[in-house]
Amino acid sequence: SPREVIHVLMASLFWPDSQATGKAIQALQKAVHAAAPHPAYHQQLAGQLLQQVLWGMSLTSGAGEATNEYAHIVAVNTPLLHLFRDIYISLAPLTPLVDQSINQAAGTDAQTLAGLRTTLLGKAQSEKRQRALLKEAIKGGQRASPIPPLGALAPRVPRARAAAGVAGAAWSEEESCLAFDWVQAQ
């Protein structure tokens, strides 16, 4: 079903392979535009997906460096901003979930969100300008609470174990379902 495809793409947002993540972001941008008119997808796109995008964008510190565990996400920070802009422009006029997600993830106040909505949706602006305004709006707020990515729910498999899996070591049923064997995918 389309809902499950979106769920898999959301889980792939934070794979340690920036090329695959970039392709997932492109597919999600298309899904956002296609599913925006359908209210059944608003919770998944404006709620769960937007929170993950905002979480990914928040990983850099003030110096622009990420923790080692999430350093690969910084490589896709710009495409995440593009996806954030697409979600905002497509869904903000249709559902209040967009503002709620931004408020929860970035701690942006209601006045800033109202001004952002008026500025972005009230007059025609370039996509570049829209992305800059969105980035500034979430940068100014204090993070209310950390939101773990969907991919963080899956267990991490050490490289040695993944290599052993290729050599014939048995995987548990849970590992087979949740882990992606990167060595065989190459």
Side-chain angles (χ1 to χ4, degrees):
S1 81
R3 195 177 293 280
E4 291 168 345
V5 170
I6 292 171
H7 187 76
V8 168
L9 290 170
M10 287 169 49
S12 67
L13 275 177
F14 303 110
W15 279 348
D17 177 0
S18 60
Q19 184 178 8
T21 300
K23 289 182 180 186
I25 289 172
Q26 289 175 345
L28 282 167
Q29 285 176 305
K30 292 176 183 175
V32 165
H33 292 293
H38 306 287
Y41 295 100
H42 289 179
Q43 175 63 38
Q44 190 175 24
L45 297 173
Q48 299 166 352
L49 175 60
L50 182 56
Q51 287 178 356
Q52 286 189 28
V53 168
L54 292 170
W55 181 85
M57 291 175 60
S58 71
L59 291 179
T60 56
S61 68
E65 297 177 9
T67 62
N68 288 338
E69 184 179 1
Y70 298 113
H72 62 279
I73 297 173
V74 176
V76 294
N77 209 334
T78 300
L80 283 174
L81 181 57
H82 286 257
L83 180 57
F84 176 33
R85 182 240 167 234
D86 288 346
I87 293 169
Y88 191 88
I89 297 301
S90 298
L91 294 170
L94 303 175
T95 178
L97 286 171
V98 174
D99 288 343
Q100 291 170 6
S101 293
I102 294 171
N103 186 20
Q104 180 184 2
T108 308
D109 62 12
Q111 183 180 3
T112 302
L113 289 173
L116 185 64
R117 179 180 290 268
T118 303
T119 304
L120 289 177
L121 302 176
K123 49 186 160 178
Q125 296 185 19
S126 69
E127 288 186 21
K128 182 177 180 179
R129 178 73 178 138
Q130 290 172 339
R131 288 190 302 268
L133 290 169
L134 285 168
K135 188 174 182 178
E136 274 303 310
I138 63 169
K139 192 177 190 181
Q142 299 294 323
R143 286 187 47 79
S145 63
I147 300 167
L150 189 63
L153 302 176
R156 295 209 181 260
V157 180
R159 288 179 191 228
R161 177 67 191 260
V166 173
W171 289 74
S172 72
E173 183 177 339
E174 182 181 25
E175 287 174 330
S176 296
C177 292
L178 297 177
F180 186 84
D181 191 355
W182 291 99
V183 178
Q184 289 182 352
Q186 294 176 356

